[in-house]
């Protein structure tokens, strides 16, 4: 039997899986694993430059990853910095490991 928190997490992950597939988001998450980026994160401008995207496209990817809980968005010096939410990412990975 599922507890209330587990049911909510499953619904969030189900919503995440309905998002269009784009390997750019996976590449962004992998890049943000680098130790130099883990603490402060990166701006949309940095993502756009790194992956050859326009600023609006980079921002869309970052906002989607934030909306599904895989990134934290923190304002620093007038810009929003995005970094991984390792707890949430581990939670999603556990759901996949369970083979739901």
């Amino acid at each position: 039997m599922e507890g209330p928190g587990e049911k909510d997490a499953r619904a969030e992950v189900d919503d995440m899986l309905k998002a269009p597939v784009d390997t750019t988001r996976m590449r962004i998450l992998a890049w943000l694993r680098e130790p130099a980026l883990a603490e402060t994160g990166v701006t949309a401008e940095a993502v756009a430059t790194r992956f050859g995207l326009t600023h609006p496209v980079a921002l869309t990817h970052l906002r989607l990853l934030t909306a599904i809980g895989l990134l934290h968005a923190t304002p620093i010096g007038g810009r929003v910095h995005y970094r991984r939410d390792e707890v949430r990412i581990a939670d999603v990975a556990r759901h996949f490991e369970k083979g739901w």
Side-chain angles (χ1 to χ4, degrees):
M1 177 118 185
E2 292 180 348
E6 194 169 334
K7 195 173 199 175
D8 291 341
R10 180 177 220 149
E12 288 175 9
V13 174
D14 286 346
D15 288 344
M16 175 179 45
L17 293 174
K18 292 175 187 172
V21 175
D22 186 321
T23 60
T24 302
R25 290 189 290 271
M26 294 303 294
R27 292 174 32 223
I28 291 168
L29 286 171
W31 182 46
L32 287 173
R33 227 184 341 218
E34 291 183 14
L37 304 175
E39 190 173 323
T40 59
V42 297
T43 63
E45 292 83 6
V47 170
T49 299
R50 170 75 180 212
F51 296 102
L53 306 170
T54 64
H55 182 267
V57 170
L59 195 54
T60 298
H61 286 302
L62 292 168
R63 285 180 174 162
L64 175 65
L65 290 167
T66 301
I68 59 177
L70 299 180
L71 295 181
H72 287 291
T74 307
I76 301 174
R79 291 183 167 182
V80 177
H81 288 244
Y82 298 86
R83 59 187 172 80
R84 291 168 53 105
D85 181 339
E86 297 298 343
V87 172
R88 175 72 171 137
I89 290 169
D91 184 47
V92 170
R94 276 192 300 278
H95 282 288
F96 279 104
E97 288 170 2
K98 290 180 182 178
W100 99 80

